[in-house]
């Protein structure tokens, strides 16, 4: 499948998405579902970021608040206190790195961008803070808008859809109009695997990801080591790398341009193999 040659403006640096790119996850928390991704120590975070970049990550995605099902909200002030020193340290060590910040607070988004972050990754697509879209539009930052049914505390309590593909797609048609009205130029669409979806909902979305290209925006898949993999296989997040690679391959075949991952090297290798096959058809 030929990808649309999108570019996004990251603090004046154009990131070319004509070929898929990998986002490396860095969790600044003790509460994320995958233990190996957690760290609160700055030297460990700097080391992890260097490993991600050396392995081929195009973006570092920082999260200071867990969004796993049932996670406890920490609040904007604590999230900001966790994030800002890390952003400053990473910019100092890796001045060319593109940093994305995973937050649904407009105030945190604004301070993160002023500190050096380039992209805002919002699991609520502006639903949890009515100031978010206006803030991102004013900052002129690329915006990852994710679909979530409910909140992290409630999203997996029997989520229901009549047609999950149609409903998520309709949601993004409306959300994209809101983003454009707020002045956001670069919008990335994330269907929100595992966020208010059952196992069946997740795999139905995966099979139909190509339909989301009608939105004319880059698509992101965040499936790394999630329960849609390890529960199906009867394993754990720690054992879900092989399944993650399979899902990444299927997502690339459906036209996804960004993979948000815990394990950068395997994801980059997956992209390279998929590119070779596509370019030599």
């Amino acid at each position: 499948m030929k990808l649309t040659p999108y570019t996004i403006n990251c603090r004046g640096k154009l990131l070319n998405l004509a070929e898929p790119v990998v986002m490396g996850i860095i969790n600044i928390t003790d509460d994320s579902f995958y233990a190996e991704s957690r760290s609160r120590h700055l030297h460990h975070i700097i080391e992890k970021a260097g490993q991600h970049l050396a392995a081929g990550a195009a973006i570092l995605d920082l999260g200071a608040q867990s969004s796993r099902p049932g996670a406890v909200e920490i609040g904007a002030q604590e999230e900001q206190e966790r994030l800002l020193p890390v952003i400053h340290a990473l910019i100092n060590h890796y001045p060319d790195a593109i940093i994305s910040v995973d937050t649904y607070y407009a105030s945190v988004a604004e301070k993160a961008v002023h500190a050096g972050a380039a992209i805002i990754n919002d699991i609520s697509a502006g639903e949890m803070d009515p100031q978010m879209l206006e803030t991102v539009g004013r900052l002129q930052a690329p915006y990852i808008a994710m679909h979530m049914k409910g909140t992290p505390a409630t999203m997996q309590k029997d989520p229901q859809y009549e047609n999950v593909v149609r409903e998520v797609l309709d949601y993004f048609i409306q959300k994209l109009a809101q983003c454009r009205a707020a002045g956001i130029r670069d919008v990335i669409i994330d269907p929100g695997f595992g966020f208010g979806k059952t196992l069946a909902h997740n795999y139905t979305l995966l099979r139909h990801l190509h339909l989301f290209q009608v939105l004319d925006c880059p698509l992101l898949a965040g499936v790394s080591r999630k329960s849609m993999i390890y529960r199906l296989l009867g394993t754990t997040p720690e054992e879900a790398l092989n399944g993650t690679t399979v899902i990444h391959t299927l997502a690339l075949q459906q036209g996804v341009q960004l993979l948000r991952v815990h394990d950068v090297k395997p994801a980059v290798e997956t992209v390279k193999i998929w590119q070779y096959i596509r370019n030599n058809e």
Side-chain angles (χ1 to χ4, degrees):
M1 177 178 290
K2 187 175 182 181
L3 299 183
T4 303
Y6 297 111
T7 58
I8 57 174
N9 188 341
C10 301
R11 300 181 69 89
K13 178 180 180 179
L14 289 181
L15 179 61
N16 187 356
L17 301 179
E19 302 291 350
V21 301
V22 172
M23 301 174 66
I25 298 169
I26 299 178
N27 285 319
I28 314 165
T29 172
D30 300 321
D31 194 32
S32 296
F33 77 92
Y34 177 47
E36 291 297 317
S37 71
R38 307 172 194 156
S39 183
R40 293 287 298 279
H41 301 289
L42 191 56
H43 66 285
H44 289 156
I45 294 167
I46 293 169
E47 182 180 4
K48 172 66 79 173
Q51 292 169 353
H52 280 346
L53 293 170
I59 302 167
L60 300 174
D61 190 50
L62 307 182
Q65 179 160 210
S66 175
S67 56
R68 64 172 177 79
V72 177
E73 188 174 337
I74 65 169
Q77 184 61 36
E78 184 174 350
E79 185 179 74
Q80 172 187 314
E81 290 171 0
R82 292 182 185 183
L83 278 170
L84 295 187
V86 173
I87 296 171
H88 289 303
L90 292 181
I91 291 295
N92 183 55
H93 280 80
Y94 312 110
D96 294 328
I98 296 174
I99 295 174
S100 166
V101 168
D102 190 345
T103 184
Y104 46 75
Y105 295 117
S107 61
V108 175
E110 181 153 23
K111 290 181 174 64
V113 169
H114 289 319
I119 301 170
I120 300 303
N121 182 7
D122 181 1
I123 62 170
S124 81
E127 303 289 345
M128 295 181 73
D129 187 336
Q131 300 302 312
M132 179 62 91
L133 299 187
E134 181 274 330
T135 298
V136 176
R138 176 164 40 80
L139 294 169
Q140 285 297 290
Y143 185 58
I144 301 171
M146 194 194 80
H147 176 272
M148 174 173 58
K149 196 177 186 75
T151 67
T154 65
M155 63 187 181
Q156 289 306 104
K157 295 180 179 179
D158 193 29
Q160 299 284 334
Y161 300 86
E162 289 186 13
N163 183 312
V164 66
V165 176
R166 184 184 67 232
E167 290 176 47
V168 174
L169 186 56
D170 286 347
Y171 172 85
F172 278 122
I173 291 170
Q174 297 177 36
K175 182 59 63 177
L176 188 56
Q178 295 171 10
C179 288
R180 299 303 188 209
I184 304 174
R185 296 178 182 176
D186 294 326
V187 181
I188 297 164
I189 300 298
D190 179 354
F193 291 103
F195 284 80
K197 284 97 176 170
T198 64
L199 190 73
H201 293 147
N202 287 319
Y203 282 98
T204 299
L205 279 172
L206 179 64
R207 285 197 305 272
H208 295 90
L209 271 179
H210 62 280
L211 297 177
F212 287 79
Q213 293 185 50
V214 72
L215 298 169
D216 195 26
C217 292
L219 300 178
L220 180 149
V223 299
S224 182
R225 295 183 181 267
K226 284 189 173 179
S227 63
M228 66 180 285
I229 299 166
Y230 66 80
R231 287 183 181 167
L232 178 64
L233 300 177
T235 58
T236 65
E238 287 71 24
E239 299 171 282
L241 177 56
N242 187 53
T244 296
T245 299
V246 174
I247 302 299
H248 283 162
T249 304
L250 296 171
L252 291 169
Q253 291 172 340
Q254 293 281 329
V256 162
Q257 280 137 320
L258 297 97
L259 299 176
R260 181 180 180 272
V261 310
H262 298 96
D263 311 277
V264 172
K265 186 174 184 289
V268 169
E269 291 175 346
T270 302
V271 169
K272 286 181 178 178
I273 293 171
W274 177 82
Q275 285 175 318
Y276 183 84
I277 292 172
R278 185 198 63 181
N279 293 336
N280 289 276
E281 290 179 337

